[in-house]
Amino acid sequence: MEHEHDGPDLHVALIGYGKGGEVFHAPLIDAVPGLRLSAVVTADPERQRAVHERYPGTTVYASVADLWARADRYEIAVVSTPNDTHAPLARAAMEAGMAVVVDKPFALTPVHARELTAMAEELDQVLTVYHNRRWDSDFLTLWNLIEEGTLGQVHRFESRFERWRPKAKNTWRETGGVENGAGILYDLGPHLIDQAVNLFGPVATVYAETSALREGVSAEDDVFLALQHARGARSHLWASALAAAPGPRFRVLGNSGAFVVQDLDGQEERLAAGEDPRSDDWGVVPEERWGRLAVGGQSRPVPSLRGAYPEFWAGVRDAVGEGEPLPVDLHEVVHGLEVVEAARRSFRTGAVVEL
């Protein structure tokens, strides 16, 4: 997959080298022409060694203080750290004069998200959020079907990230508290909500069911959300770590047909396996994993559009270097956090919450 670029490289500093930094950010930044992975911040000695081995030309800092002291060397900071540090680090990076990409969730509350958005506007600085699932092959294919009118008027969107992980890992993400941004609603919820909002517009009401099912878990690991969109469609969203038989990734019902996709986009799997996003077949979905278009008792496979995570980073490059529009607009992300906040209120009260 080619992403041509003729201008000078933009130097990127990646803050954090856990799974997010190592799997989702570093390989893609490294693969996109015009971006250079110039620095990584991690205090962990093993992760420092891993950076040196895979990206030998990259500077490694043990703390963000070391990065801030040399901020003038870098145009872009990428925040891939525990969720409760996203907003403070994004603020500090903007104050240091860098454009900023924040991993999801953008912030833990809509209030903090709005404050960051206002700060970026005041500083005239690029600030965006890594909602890579907009470039999943299944989502791109569904978007295309809806735009073409193949499904007619969509009235129900079902979307799932369901996994079978009966034993919780001893990490902040799985065993931490909600107040620290732990739990599946902050982890997978933003992706599910962001896709629904992109397809069907703002959300008018939210109903939520959440549970902490596994031993040692205090934040939710099983979630169901029912969203009523202002334009009429309904989204039913599931995220679970305790689904021994996951449901379809998408089931989308319209008045002209339905679209069903069983499997997840394969880009995460390939990144985790260490594959290079520059490969000629990046994002290609094998035919046996294509979704199906159904009308009545008949169905046919729909060729999947290629998944394209590198497109997000090409968009960041062009926004910072050329003043092009952001690849992910902050107002949509803030609205997504309003939905998360409403979901928590709905679970506490058992009521449908109006936004």
Side-chain angles (χ1 to χ4, degrees), residues 239-251:
S240 181
L242 205 63
R249 174 70 188 92
F250 290 146
R251 190 176 80 119

Side-chain angles (χ1 to χ4, degrees), residues 4-332:
E4 297 297 333
H5 179 72
D6 296 326
D9 285 351
L10 298 170
H11 296 83
V12 181
L14 171 59
I15 306 171
Y17 202 70
K19 180 182 178 181
E22 182 178 17
V23 174
F24 279 110
H25 299 307
L28 292 162
I29 295 166
D30 185 57
V32 172
L35 296 181
R36 182 182 301 176
L37 183 64
S38 297
V40 172
V41 179
T42 177
D44 185 288
E46 287 188 16
R47 292 175 180 174
Q48 290 175 349
R49 281 193 293 273
V51 174
H52 285 308
E53 287 175 8
R54 188 165 181 182
Y55 309 102
T58 297
T59 301
V60 177
Y61 298 120
S63 73
V64 287
D66 294 337
L67 173 63
W68 304 149
R70 300 164 181 83
D72 58 347
R73 301 180 184 179
Y74 310 100
E75 285 81 31
I76 303 170
V78 180
V79 178
S80 183
T81 52
N83 291 347
D84 58 352
T85 67
H86 286 184
L89 286 173
R91 177 180 294 276
M94 283 193 289
E95 288 173 344
M98 288 184 274
V100 183
V101 177
V102 187
D103 214 335
K104 55 79 202 165
F106 180 31
L108 297 189
T109 69
V111 170
H112 291 148
R114 289 189 204 100
E115 289 173 352
L116 288 173
T117 302
M119 181 178 178
E121 291 172 352
E122 183 179 335
L123 295 174
D124 194 24
Q125 187 58 280
V126 167
L127 174 65
T128 191
V129 184
Y130 187 60
H131 274 296
N132 59 305
R133 297 291 179 178
R134 297 188 188 187
W135 288 269
D136 276 358
S137 59
D138 46 31
F139 181 75
L140 294 171
T141 304
L142 172 59
W143 180 282
N144 196 49
L145 288 173
I146 291 174
E147 287 291 295
E148 289 177 346
T150 304
L151 303 178
Q153 186 71 33
V154 173
H155 55 270
R156 187 183 304 278
F157 172 56
E158 298 177 4
S159 177
R160 295 171 174 84
F161 281 122
E162 295 181 326
R163 299 163 174 173
W164 177 239
R165 296 177 179 170
K167 290 187 178 180
K169 298 177 183 177
N170 188 26
T171 63
W172 67 266
R173 194 182 300 277
E174 297 213 12
T175 59
V178 170
E179 67 279 1
N180 302 121
I184 210 163
L185 187 56
Y186 277 131
D187 185 24
L188 299 177
H191 285 315
L192 293 165
I193 294 164
D194 185 69
Q195 289 184 334
V197 168
N198 263 262
L199 289 170
F200 305 111
V203 174
T205 67
V206 179
Y207 168 75
E209 299 171 1
T210 73
S211 303
L213 299 174
R214 295 173 298 168
E215 186 177 347
V217 167
S218 58
E220 71 287 326
D221 56 9
D222 187 87
V223 168
F224 167 72
L225 303 180
L227 313 181
Q228 176 72 58
H229 295 268
R231 298 204 299 256
R234 286 188 170 91
S235 291
H236 286 178
L237 313 176
W238 289 263
S240 181
L242 205 63
R249 174 70 188 92
F250 290 146
R251 190 176 80 119
V252 190
L253 307 179
N255 61 7
S256 297
F259 181 60
V260 181
V261 180
Q262 295 295 333
D263 298 312
L264 282 167
D265 174 275
Q267 293 178 90
E268 176 180 354
E269 184 181 353
R270 295 183 67 175
L271 287 169
E275 293 190 38
D276 192 331
R278 284 166 286 216
S279 62
D280 290 339
D281 68 341
W282 187 260
V284 173
V285 178
E287 189 170 345
E288 64 270 17
R289 293 177 66 172
W290 290 355
R292 299 189 71 86
L293 179 67
V295 181
Q298 305 295 316
S299 72
R300 63 173 177 84
V302 177
S304 288
L305 298 181
R306 291 177 68 155
Y309 290 171
E311 291 294 338
F312 170 84
W313 292 103
V316 170
R317 176 199 66 202
D318 295 344
V320 176
E322 308 294 337
E324 294 294 323
L326 296 172
V328 173
D329 184 83
L330 293 180
H331 297 290
E332 297 165 341

